[in-house]
Amino acid sequence: MLSGRRLDLLDPSPLDIEIEDIAHGLARVARWNGQTRGPHIYSVAQHSLLVEAIAAHIVTAKTAAVAQWQLGVLLHDAAEYVIGDMISPFKTVMGGTYREVEARLMAAIHLRFGLPATLRADVRDLAKRADRQAAFLEATRLAGFDRTEALKFFGRPVALPQSVLSYLEPWSADQAKARFLARFQRVSAAPGPSRDDGTVATSD
């Protein structure tokens, strides 16, 4: 890693994980295998910010009561700073070996930043739901999918404000890194779950 850390893929240690390495790597890993519109790649760092912003609008009251759910969602793809963002069909071909390496990395990342090695089921479910919403938006606005095709793969999206949709304009790698780090610092320092307006978001 640029920090000088050496990470053992088979037995990753939380002590060898730095948020600067994660932000730097994710800002340079392309979503959709790079097959997106715009002057810049759509990075995993920017995707992670989009997913966390969407989650703030669909989180249930029960999950909102879980300390650091925002950090867990923000870091949902953090392992990709090491292993990259493989497209879903290829992950299926790779099978269990890929998933095992990913799970070990995610456990180490969680522990490094004060989260449980395995997140609570409702936090994982929130991250997955928000991730699918983000995938629908990215697919239709950036990756050339038509709406019918995207609905088939990702389901129907929820209504979102322009402040969230603005995350779909691809940023430079430097901007994505800086914004990811800034958001990480904010949510990791927060005493409890909240939105930027100071209120807890709930959904039906």
Side-chain angles (χ1 to χ4, degrees):
M1 304 299 157
L2 278 180
S3 64
R5 297 289 188 182
R6 299 287 191 269
L7 195 63
D8 184 344
L9 282 177
L10 297 181
D11 186 23
S13 168
L15 297 176
D16 291 326
I17 292 168
E18 300 290 346
I19 191 59
E20 290 81 6
D21 290 333
I22 292 174
H24 186 85
L26 295 187
R28 288 160 174 76
V29 174
R31 289 274 293 168
W32 304 96
N33 224 22
Q35 300 298 309
T36 51
R37 303 184 180 101
H40 304 290
I41 65 165
Y42 192 76
S43 71
V44 175
Q46 188 168 351
H47 162 80
S48 298
L49 290 164
L50 173 63
V51 170
E52 194 257 328
I54 292 172
H57 287 270
I58 62 175
V59 64
T60 64
K62 178 182 176 182
T63 304
V66 180
Q68 295 185 299
W69 70 262
Q70 290 171 301
L71 183 58
V73 174
L74 182 66
L75 295 174
H76 77 282
D77 277 340
E80 293 178 7
Y81 91 103
V82 177
I83 57 180
D85 181 26
M86 291 188 183
I87 57 176
S88 295
F90 193 59
K91 288 181 182 179
T92 301
V93 172
M94 292 291 290
T97 301
Y98 175 89
R99 297 296 186 187
E100 289 172 8
V101 172
E102 182 181 44
R104 291 191 194 103
L105 280 168
M106 287 305 301
I109 290 166
H110 288 156
L111 292 173
R112 171 64 178 84
F113 301 115
L115 297 169
T118 302
L119 299 179
R120 253 177 53 163
D122 54 342
V123 178
R124 296 198 308 271
D125 290 345
L126 172 64
K128 289 178 181 178
R129 183 179 172 192
D131 191 49
R132 288 177 66 83
Q133 297 285 314
F136 177 92
L137 294 170
E138 294 166 8
T140 53
R141 298 191 179 212
L142 297 170
F145 284 58
D146 63 38
R147 183 176 176 82
T148 300
E149 186 179 19
L151 285 170
K152 176 182 175 182
F153 286 112
F154 309 115
R156 188 171 298 279
V158 298
L160 295 166
Q162 185 57 43
S163 60
V164 174
L165 299 179
S166 66
Y167 285 95
L168 291 162
E169 184 67 32
W171 307 327
S172 70
D174 287 345
Q175 186 179 11
K177 177 182 177 179
R179 292 186 68 166
F180 182 91
L181 282 172
R183 188 60 182 162
F184 170 86
Q185 295 299 335
R186 183 165 186 173
V187 301
S188 62
S194 65
R195 282 173 49 180
D196 288 343
D197 58 8
T199 62
V200 173
T202 59
S203 66
D204 294 333

